[in-house]
Amino acid sequence: LMIAPIAEMAISPRMRPRLKLPNEDSQVAELGDTNLFSANRFTGLDQVESGARFTYGTRGHLQNAEDEWLEWLFGQSYQEDNDSAFPITNAPDPHFSDFIGRLGVKYKWFDIAYSFRLDRDSFVPLSNNVNALFSMNPVSVDISYTSLRDDPIFGNRKEIFGAAIWDVTPQWQWGINARRDLGSNEQALVRSAFLPQVINPANITPNTVGLGSSLTFHNECVRVTASVGRSFISQEDVRPSTTCGL
């Protein structure tokens, strides 16, 4: 059993947005369990956090066997700037973030992870993400569920994604996946998924936003994947499309 308190402080000169330089890789700014304790929580290099920031929390790990364990993370962040380019809360007072956490469990061939964001005042869940992975040779199945409430970027959103991979031979893999919007299609922001040709598009419901399939060959020296997909998103300038890749 390991329980560890964590604290991190970062201080840098205050920087204002550089209007003359395009921001291409840091447009999505979202605080989560993967970047809570990062010095710069932007995804790219076109934006950097500045000013004084302080993050604190705790993490733990309980191991029963090599393939049986439980882990967790819980924390909160503070920033000095009133107008930081990186939003850490939806509340009018921008200094303290919402509470961020993650709980993960592994038991032999089954993994499940739950990450969340809780309102700092009411403890109401604002973001929920559950990911479950079942892996038993030659098949692995991955299912994830995402729920967002009043997110500053995506608004209200509920979505489920599923994928399955079958090791046909030691060198060949076949995979299928599907993504479905459980809320309003107009609020869904979904990347294109891949579509297996065996599925009849006439059976696709309006909430199915993507389907896909891929075939992979791999050995010690090379890995090649061929994929085909269909996105059913239709809003503004975005139209349903089919994508092929190699």
Side-chain angles (χ1 to χ4, degrees):
L1 173 65
M2 183 274 291
I3 300 177
I6 313 170
E8 178 187 74
M9 176 178 287
I11 301 176
S12 61
R14 294 185 179 180
M15 301 177 61
R16 294 295 172 251
R18 296 166 291 181
L19 300 179
K20 295 182 179 181
L21 299 178
N23 178 13
E24 297 180 351
D25 61 5
S26 303
Q27 297 185 23
V28 178
E30 184 177 9
L31 184 65
D33 61 285
T34 57
N35 62 1
L36 178 63
F37 289 94
S38 300
N40 179 35
R41 288 173 285 210
F42 282 104
T43 55
L45 300 176
D46 291 340
Q47 286 265 34
V48 294
E49 286 190 89
S50 62
R53 289 105 57 205
F54 181 65
T55 307
Y56 50 89
T58 180
R59 73 167 73 240
H61 187 92
L62 175 62
Q63 184 114 15
N64 182 50
E66 183 178 354
D67 55 357
E68 299 175 12
W69 46 257
L70 168 71
E71 65 174 6
W72 66 89
L73 170 73
F74 189 79
Q76 187 181 35
S77 183
Y78 170 86
Q79 63 184 11
E80 183 184 19
D81 281 2
N82 291 320
D83 55 350
S84 172
F86 193 96
I88 61 175
T89 181
N90 294 345
D93 178 6
H95 296 295
F96 285 93
S97 76
D98 298 314
F99 293 105
I100 305 296
R102 181 184 72 247
L103 178 65
V105 178
K106 177 177 177 59
Y107 182 77
K108 300 185 183 302
W109 34 259
F110 182 73
D111 292 79
I112 185 168
Y114 170 56
S115 58
F116 57 88
R117 179 165 60 94
L118 304 178
D119 185 273
R120 67 187 190 191
D121 297 319
S122 64
F123 289 93
V124 172
L126 300 176
S127 172
N128 296 282
N129 183 271
V130 182
N131 182 261
L133 174 64
F134 170 86
S135 182
M136 181 175 288
N137 193 45
V139 176
S140 63
V141 179
D142 186 6
I143 299 176
S144 62
Y145 168 79
T146 300
S147 172
L148 301 177
R149 176 178 176 180
D150 297 330
D151 187 85
I153 299 175
F154 299 107
N156 296 325
R157 174 182 172 191
K158 292 183 180 180
E159 181 182 283
I160 188 170
F161 172 80
I165 296 178
W166 176 33
D167 292 329
V168 183
T169 70
Q171 289 80 35
W172 288 93
Q173 287 181 336
W174 178 57
I176 59 174
N177 61 69
R179 191 181 301 270
R180 181 177 175 86
D181 175 24
L182 302 180
S184 170
N185 283 339
E186 295 180 357
Q187 292 178 338
L189 179 62
V190 185
R191 294 192 181 105
S192 294
F194 298 111
L195 170 67
Q197 298 293 331
V198 295
I199 295 180
N200 182 2
N203 298 327
I204 304 302
T205 64
N207 286 343
T208 301
V209 294
L211 293 170
S213 182
S214 63
L215 184 65
T216 300
F217 172 81
H218 64 94
N219 56 27
E220 297 82 0
C221 302
V222 66
R223 184 182 183 90
V224 180
T225 299
S227 59
V228 58
R230 178 72 174 174
S231 170
F232 299 95
I233 300 174
S234 179
Q235 62 180 71
E236 298 181 355
D237 295 334
V238 180
R239 295 290 180 265
S241 62
T242 300
T243 304
C244 299
L246 179 61

